[in-house]
Amino acid sequence: MRTILTTLHSKFIHPSLALPCMAAYCREECGELCIREFTVHEPKENVLAALIAEEPDVVAFSVYLWNRRETLELADALATVRPGIRIVLGGPEVSFDGPDLFDRHPGVSALVRGEGEIPLRGLLSAWAKGVDSLDVPRLAQRRNKGVVEGPDAPPLADLDELPSPFALGLADLSRGFVYLETSRGCPYTCSFCMSALDERVRSFSMARIRDDLRLLMDAGVPKVKLVDRTFNYDAARAREIWSFILRHNRQTHFHFEIGAHLLDEETLALLETVPSGMFQFEIGVQSTLPATLDAIGRQASLEKLEESVRRLRAAGNIHLHLDLIAGLPGEGYRDFLASVEKVASLCPHHLQIEPVKLLPGAPLRRDARRLGLRFDPHPPYGILSTPELTFAEIDRLRGLSRLFDLTFNSGRFGGFLEGLKAACGSLSAGLERLEDFWRTRDLFRHPLSQRAVFEACWNFVRSTFGGEVRETLRDGLARDLALCERVAPGNAPDFFDLTLTEEEREAVREQVRRETEAVKGQGIKIQHFAAVFERLRRLSGRTVLLFLYLTRSGEGMRVKEIPLDLDRTPELPAQGREMDDS
């Protein structure tokens, strides 16, 4: 019996962890197993042809939020072309479907619920032996008389019973990054999350964790993203794993989802020793409104979370990605903006603002009617309105989220955002006004280049502000742009002041001559741009800033900024910072 384990990714670079885990657990008694991965962007006919060409007896699909529609359409087409083929569905997106799924998709033979290793092996091993798969736990099967449900059963207690897909060579390590799990389950019961259904946390043994980590680090995998729901639920365990990585890692970047409120002094001290750029932490704040946190069952000290984030941010060596969720029970529009303001004040590298999704099986979806939550019945099940939030307000928050990505999260609008916050009284108030501008001019409809975003922000500034505020924001925008991309005098946007005096132009030429001499023989090419600034916070009065763009073959562009004040000692020191060529 030949079985294809397959899924449709949202992007090619996303490797599957589920499929190699299934193959590792099923391999000895389930016949021939093959893993085939596609994306939702590939034409359905191409994927169908590729699957048919394999001549499988069974095709098992891993179904997720982003691929449900495409997977079910593909399953229908597959059953039409090959009527005798057995089609199995599994994954979080279908685990809570009822018998009507079989009615809508008559080619589906079986449905795996929850963790898939045990039910899939039970099903495939029975089919491989030519017998009916009776009493397989957490498995729904099509039979002549309808759909038969297997008994409920807990998942594996000992995760080490799952062979390592990495040691067996089943995982694709060639895509740039790899997913890894060191535990399953979550100690918390946040009602918006499917992990609330499994409060018991199970961990692989430390020996198994070390073996998998060592294999991935020795293979030079560029990025490992751990999918543990709360990686540091056990502080001593987390420290042991982090310490192992620090001892053996050469080049791999690691991404963890952590609870910042769980970081103790010993752990924070260890994290301060992490080399810059090696770790990234994703930290779910979700809301800063106590009533909302109580309503979703989230038990985490905001005070301790803030304290830990400030400590990590002060160390500056770990990239911090913080999450807020809009549309949770009890949180209105202004309440959510207050959460945005509070979390943004922690200065994370990235602040993600996302409307809540009412996922199948999650307690929040189960209680949606009682709580007055209205949501899209189709993936991704986004919230549409709540007793505290209208659809229009949720839509505004989506716009605000997009602007956060374009400005705050890009790391390229620091001066502009600083000035906007000062002009409007708060960052959220400033971005609200910017969102109004973006919306009225229909700028959300199409992607904008980086230069176009800067120019749109300038159009916003000159149509909204006047006098000193306008000029301060102009200077902030101009410096931000010059620091993140090469600006040439011939194509500089009109928010740059290029009215240098002849004396200032001579000072620029002399400084460029000295800088060129300093890098002579190093294979570095220098291009330059200079503009006048009068209202930057760190400077007083008219100052010429010289921006040097240094490039060398095979490297990114480095920007060096030099203040040229002919009348006094500059308060803003020369600085260099790395940026990529984009």
Side-chain angles (χ1 to χ4, degrees):
M1 185 178 76
R2 178 177 175 81
T3 299
I4 294 179
L5 306 177
T6 188
T7 194
L8 304 175
H9 297 299
S10 60
K11 296 180 180 179
F12 172 76
I13 62 170
H14 292 168
S16 176
L17 177 60
L19 300 183
C21 285
M22 299 296 164
Y25 192 66
C26 295
R27 74 188 195 286
E28 294 180 354
E29 54 188 79
C30 298
E32 181 185 1
L33 297 171
C34 305
I35 296 174
R36 299 291 183 262
E37 303 177 53
F38 304 95
T39 76
V40 294
H41 306 294
E42 296 179 63
K44 178 171 58 180
E45 294 76 11
N46 291 7
V47 179
L48 178 63
L51 292 175
I52 292 295
E54 299 267 1
E55 299 186 351
D57 301 293
V58 180
V59 177
F61 290 96
S62 190
V63 190
Y64 297 92
L65 188 74
W66 58 83
N67 69 14
R68 179 185 175 104
R69 177 178 60 82
E70 292 85 354
T71 300
L72 292 175
E73 288 181 1
L74 184 59
D76 292 342
L78 189 59
T80 300
V81 175
R82 288 277 307 277
I85 201 168
R86 286 165 160 169
I87 296 173
V88 183
L89 304 179
E93 183 57 26
V94 293
S95 286
F96 298 92
D97 274 88
D100 58 318
L101 179 71
F102 290 86
D103 296 334
R104 296 193 305 271
H105 304 282
V108 173
S109 304
L111 172 62
V112 173
R113 303 192 188 281
E115 288 187 12
E117 287 91 355
I118 291 176
L120 185 64
R121 186 167 76 172
L123 176 67
L124 295 183
S125 62
W127 282 351
K129 296 170 186 173
V131 299
D132 286 336
S133 48
L134 299 174
D135 298 325
V136 175
R138 291 182 282 107
L139 182 73
Q141 300 176 72
R142 185 188 299 278
R143 296 286 176 81
N144 292 334
K145 295 182 180 180
V147 176
V148 177
E149 290 278 358
D152 195 11
L156 277 172
D158 181 4
L159 292 184
D160 278 9
E161 291 184 24
L162 304 175
S164 168
F166 305 107
L168 294 173
L170 295 171
D172 186 352
L173 306 185
S174 67
R175 300 193 181 201
F177 79 93
V178 166
Y179 292 113
L180 171 68
E181 60 179 354
T182 67
S183 67
R184 291 183 180 180
C186 183
Y188 300 104
T189 56
C190 304
S191 63
F192 58 84
C193 183
M194 292 177 65
S195 295
L197 304 176
D198 184 9
E199 297 179 43
R200 179 181 171 219
V201 182
R202 295 158 290 144
S203 174
F204 288 93
S205 68
M206 196 56 63
R208 164 67 178 272
I209 294 169
R210 286 195 295 264
D211 286 346
D212 281 347
L213 283 170
R214 192 65 184 264
L215 186 154
L216 296 174
M217 290 187 290
D218 288 349
V221 174
K223 183 171 184 175
V224 174
K225 183 170 184 178
L226 285 93
V227 296
D228 304 50
R229 302 312 300 159
T230 305
F231 176 80
N232 62 323
Y233 71 92
D234 180 325
R237 172 186 177 277
R239 286 195 300 272
E240 185 172 354
I241 296 172
W242 282 332
S243 296
F244 180 81
I245 292 172
L246 292 176
R247 288 195 303 273
H248 298 285
N249 189 33
R250 297 191 305 271
Q251 66 188 66
T252 300
H253 173 80
F254 287 88
H255 179 287
F256 304 89
E257 293 186 31
I258 70 161
H261 61 289
L262 299 175
L263 296 175
D264 56 21
E265 178 57 36
E266 186 178 355
T267 304
L268 286 165
L270 172 66
L271 293 174
E272 288 173 349
T273 70
V274 174
S276 181
M278 183 181 290
F279 285 3
Q280 175 174 333
F281 286 168
E282 183 168 350
I283 299 168
V285 182
Q286 321 315 5
S287 173
T288 64
L289 190 66
T292 292
L293 295 175
D294 288 342
I296 62 174
R298 186 168 183 81
Q299 301 167 347
S301 167
L302 281 177
E303 182 179 353
K304 176 58 179 170
L305 183 150
E306 291 176 25
E307 177 186 329
S308 295
V309 170
R310 292 189 191 280
R311 175 86 172 265
L312 291 169
R313 195 65 182 91
N317 56 330
I318 295 175
H319 182 95
L320 301 180
H321 178 129
L322 272 58
D323 298 331
L324 282 172
I325 298 179
L328 294 174
E331 189 166 49
Y333 181 77
R334 290 295 159 194
D335 297 323
F336 188 78
L337 289 185
S339 289
V340 170
E341 195 66 30
K342 192 168 187 177
V343 175
S345 72
L346 299 176
C347 301
H349 300 91
H350 188 107
L351 172 52
Q352 179 172 311
I353 299 171
E354 191 75 23
V356 66
K357 298 176 177 66
L358 279 78
L359 303 173
L364 194 62
R365 177 162 172 155
R366 178 196 65 206
D367 299 335
R369 184 181 297 274
R370 176 177 62 82
L371 295 169
L373 307 179
R374 298 184 177 184
F375 62 97
D376 189 337
H378 303 288
Y381 313 110
I383 192 73
L384 298 178
S385 69
T386 77
E388 296 81 23
L389 272 176
T390 66
F391 175 79
E393 289 171 330
I394 291 172
D395 197 42
R396 286 202 70 187
L397 292 177
R398 287 194 185 94
L400 199 68
S401 172
R402 179 65 180 137
L403 285 177
F404 255 89
D405 286 341
L406 291 174
T407 59
F408 187 95
N409 294 336
S410 73
R412 298 175 175 181
F413 287 79
F416 169 67
L417 293 178
E418 183 181 8
L420 189 63
K421 179 179 179 179
C424 300
S426 68
L427 178 61
S428 59
L431 288 175
E432 259 196 299
R433 297 181 72 172
L434 184 59
E435 198 274 344
D436 283 337
F437 177 86
W438 230 260
R439 185 174 299 275
T440 56
R441 284 155 180 79
D442 213 17
L443 296 176
F444 286 120
R445 289 190 63 188
H446 305 291
L448 298 177
S449 67
Q450 178 173 274
R451 178 68 68 93
V453 174
F454 272 94
E455 291 174 341
C457 287
W458 170 235
N459 289 334
F460 158 73
V461 168
R462 61 184 175 187
S463 68
T464 307
F465 303 100
E468 189 78 14
V469 172
R470 170 176 162 167
E471 297 309 307
T472 299
L473 288 168
R474 175 209 286 263
D475 272 8
L477 267 178
R479 180 171 181 262
D480 288 341
L481 179 59
L483 284 172
C484 71
E485 72 173 56
R486 188 176 74 84
V487 180
N491 71 348
D494 63 1
F495 50 81
F496 280 98
D497 182 350
L498 303 181
T499 60
L500 281 72
T501 66
E502 185 52 43
E503 183 182 13
E504 289 166 339
R505 294 182 188 280
E506 179 56 35
V508 167
R509 288 191 287 269
E510 176 59 24
Q511 186 66 39
V512 171
R513 186 193 65 76
R514 289 199 297 265
E515 297 291 332
T516 302
E517 186 66 26
V519 299
K520 188 175 181 180
Q522 299 179 32
I524 296 175
K525 178 182 179 181
I526 293 182
Q527 295 172 295
H528 72 277
F529 173 73
V532 175
F533 296 83
E534 299 193 29
R535 291 173 178 81
L536 291 177
R537 192 184 69 167
R538 299 169 187 81
L539 300 168
S540 58
R542 180 185 177 95
T543 302
V544 174
L545 290 183
L546 171 63
F547 300 92
L548 300 176
Y549 303 103
L550 295 84
T551 55
R552 180 158 45 191
S553 179
E555 298 180 3
M557 181 168 68
R558 185 164 60 91
V559 183
K560 186 175 183 181
E561 176 189 32
I562 303 174
L564 300 177
D565 189 329
L566 306 184
D567 299 324
R568 58 180 173 80
T569 302
E571 298 172 21
L572 183 65
Q575 61 177 332
R577 94 178 188 183
E578 299 291 339
M579 58 169 283
D580 61 35
D581 290 328
S582 62

